[in-house]
Structures are given as C-alpha cells and as structure tokens.
Amino acid sequence: MSHKAGFVSIIGKPNAGKSTLMNALVGEKMSIITPKAQTTRHRIIGIVNEEDYQIVFSDTPGIIKPNYSLQESMMSFVQGSIIDADVILFVTDIHERHDEEDVIEKLRNTKSPVAVLINKVDKSTEEEVKAKAAYWKEKVNPDVVFALSALLKYNVDGIMAYIKEKMPVHPPYYEKDELTDKSVRFFVSEMIREKIFKLYDKEIPYSTEVVVTSYKIEPKITRIAAEIIVERDSQKNIIIGTAGAMIKKVGTYARQDIEEFIDGKVFLELFVKVLPDWRSKKNYLKRFGYED
C-alpha cells in the first residue's frame, strides 16, 4: 500500500479558532489557546502519523496588517506556510464581518486546494451557516466548505477524511515517532506565555516574550529557569505584582501544565528582564527565533 504524506496549513484572522482546530486535529495540545487575539506568534508544526500516512499541520499567526517588526516576522511565517502547503485550511469565524481581505489576498496566487472552514457554528443558526457558505463559495471558489465547531470537535473527523484524501503519495517527511519540529524548551516557554495572556490585561501580554534560560533534568525533578522579557520598567512592575503575587501565580499555573506535559515534577523559577522596544529590533527577534 502506498504511503501518503503532505503539509496542511491552517490560516485565518486572529481569534478564528485556528489553534483550537490544530489541537483537535493533532490530538495533542500543540498551540496555546487564549481568548485574546494574536496569541500564536510562530509557525507551530504538529505531526499526525499512521502506518500509511503522515500529515504535517502548521498552525500560523492570525493574519493582520503588520505594525512593527515582530508582526512582519509573524506574517512571513504565514506566507511560508502557504507556499509549501499541499492543502490550505482557511478558518473563518461564522460571525466575522467579512473583514478577510488580507487573508484572501494571500490565497489569490495559491495552486493548492483551499478548504474554507466556517468555525463556531455551535453559536449560529442553520440559515446563517448556509448564507456564509454561499458567500465564501462565491468569494474564494474553494475546493470545499465545511461547517465546524473546533471547540466541540464537530466535523473534525470530516475535515480529517478530506485531508487524507488530498494528501499526495510521498514518503514521510519526519521520523514516524515525531510529534513536532519544536523542542520541549519551546513548549515550556509557550506554556508560560499562555498564562501571561490569561492573567494580564491590555498591552502587557503582547509586550512579553519568554525565554527558557536553563533546563536541567535531575533524577526526581526537572529544574527550569525562564526570563519574561518586557519593554518597559512599568511593565516589569505589573508582571511581578504587589509583593510578587502575580508572577507567583504565573509560575504556579505554568508549572502545573509543564508537569503534565513532561510527566514529572518541576521546579520553575521566573525572572523579569527589560529589553526596550524588543519587538521592533531585528537582533532581538533573531535571538527569539522570529528571524531566519
């Protein structure tokens, strides 16, 4: 029996539900999920392996018009994922007000089959879904349109069947026991960053980066040190909180997730460091993995 393998890119506007879909398709928590837009910054790969196929999913940052260097790098991850995709999943929120021109622009020149996934249909009526499907058929002329609830896993199996059918015959691109191309350190930093997005308001989460500076595996415990990078002293004070209360909360919640992820005890130390305007400086972006 011939082996199939290929790349599937999940694209769309911020907060359309791309990361929730990615985790549902892969069956593992690969991407961090928060109610805030633009949580995903990197192109995160999740690999599904079966005996006769390998599907390499890419969760990408939400498509926006970039305002600073970090966002430009995020958009280049999206562009790269579209170029090498065998299938593109365009996720759109059922209640999106058709403000998708930036996404459509990126799809105009692709030769890959595009599936439009109308997400969050659990919050809509059948009439709304039909109207939205008709709109997208006319607007994008996709290969197929799916109604979806990534959160409730509604129609995820149908999307998976479509993807398998579209995969080209090809040997596996990665070892069959690999789940992702990212390191454990990367996922640890993402888990800490997720807690920052959930616990802080306004601009604070967007101004932070997390860098794991030390990761030591000992017989009974894994010792991890990480820096939370911010742009201003005032942000540092907010991250730490009164008498260190907020950073302690971040550490407690993140440690619980990391322990579950690595299936072992963790000692986590967090520090806060100020790097003025790091989001606009190429040398910092390169150091944090946003630039080639």
Side-chain angles (χ1 to χ4, degrees), residues 7 16 28 127 140 190-191 211 232 264 269 280 291:
F7 292 85
E28 298 273 346
E127 287 71 32
V140 179
E190 286 287 272
M191 285 172 206
V211 179
R232 297 192 297 278
E269 268 189 302
S280 299
E291 301 276 324

Side-chain angles (χ1 to χ4, degrees), residues 10-241:
I10 305 170
I11 70 162
K13 297 284 281 183
N15 249 6
K18 298 180 297 300
S19 297
T20 307
L21 175 64
M22 164 87 157
N23 293 343
L25 288 165
V26 175
E28 298 273 346
K29 186 173 178 188
M30 297 303 221
S31 296
I32 65 177
I33 300 165
T34 77
K36 294 185 174 73
Q38 288 176 51
T39 307
T40 303
R41 285 182 183 164
H42 292 266
R43 177 182 177 181
I44 297 171
I45 283 179
I47 305 164
V48 174
N49 288 298
E50 291 295 341
E51 198 179 332
D52 57 339
Y53 67 83
Q54 180 180 80
I55 304 169
V56 185
F57 288 100
S58 287
D59 182 19
T60 59
I63 294 174
I64 50 169
K65 289 211 177 347
N67 291 318
Y68 44 83
S69 298
L70 170 62
Q71 291 182 337
E72 284 167 14
S73 298
M74 286 158 62
M75 290 311 97
S76 72
F77 290 141
V78 178
Q79 200 56 49
S81 82
I82 291 172
I83 289 164
D84 60 22
D86 293 292
V87 173
I88 294 169
L89 304 181
F90 167 27
V91 184
T92 176
D93 184 335
I94 182 78
H95 298 301
E96 177 66 55
R97 300 274 175 237
H98 303 325
D99 177 26
E100 307 265 13
E101 275 310 314
D102 337 3
V103 187
I104 294 160
E105 193 55 48
K106 291 199 183 294
L107 291 176
R108 288 228 160 94
N109 301 318
T110 183
K111 307 252 184 316
S112 308
V114 175
V116 171
L117 277 44
I118 303 169
N119 194 21
K120 307 183 187 179
V121 296
D122 49 304
K123 297 184 174 140
S124 67
T125 64
E126 199 177 332
E127 287 71 32
E128 283 178 299
V129 175
K130 280 181 179 165
K132 209 61 178 258
Y135 170 84
W136 284 118
K137 277 177 187 166
E138 190 187 326
K139 188 85 177 169
V140 179
N141 190 25
D143 196 39
V144 64
V145 176
F146 285 97
L148 163 77
S149 171
L151 189 64
L152 303 180
K153 296 188 170 61
Y154 168 72
N155 227 354
V156 168
D157 289 346
I159 293 161
M160 200 65 174
Y162 165 77
I163 292 165
K164 283 183 209 167
E165 186 193 310
K166 290 285 171 184
M167 287 293 97
V169 173
H170 198 283
Y173 288 95
Y174 292 88
E175 294 294 328
K176 282 291 218 166
D177 57 353
E178 284 192 50
L179 276 175
T180 182
D181 64 337
K182 295 279 190 263
S183 66
V184 173
R185 279 179 173 234
F186 172 82
F187 286 108
V188 166
S189 68
E190 286 287 272
M191 285 172 206
I192 298 166
R193 205 165 63 81
E194 179 181 56
K195 302 310 165 208
I196 294 166
F197 264 81
K198 286 184 171 172
L199 290 169
Y200 298 89
D201 287 331
K202 302 189 178 75
E203 179 61 14
I204 291 290
Y206 299 101
S207 305
T208 57
E209 181 59 60
V210 177
V211 179
V212 174
T213 52
S214 169
Y215 191 100
K216 291 179 184 152
I217 302 168
E218 295 177 4
K220 291 185 178 170
I221 200 161
T222 299
R223 295 183 185 277
I224 302 170
E227 286 178 346
I228 298 170
I229 310 292
V230 293
E231 294 189 310
R232 297 192 297 278
D233 285 320
S234 58
Q235 293 168 343
K236 179 177 178 176
N237 296 335
I238 293 167
I239 291 282
I240 293 168

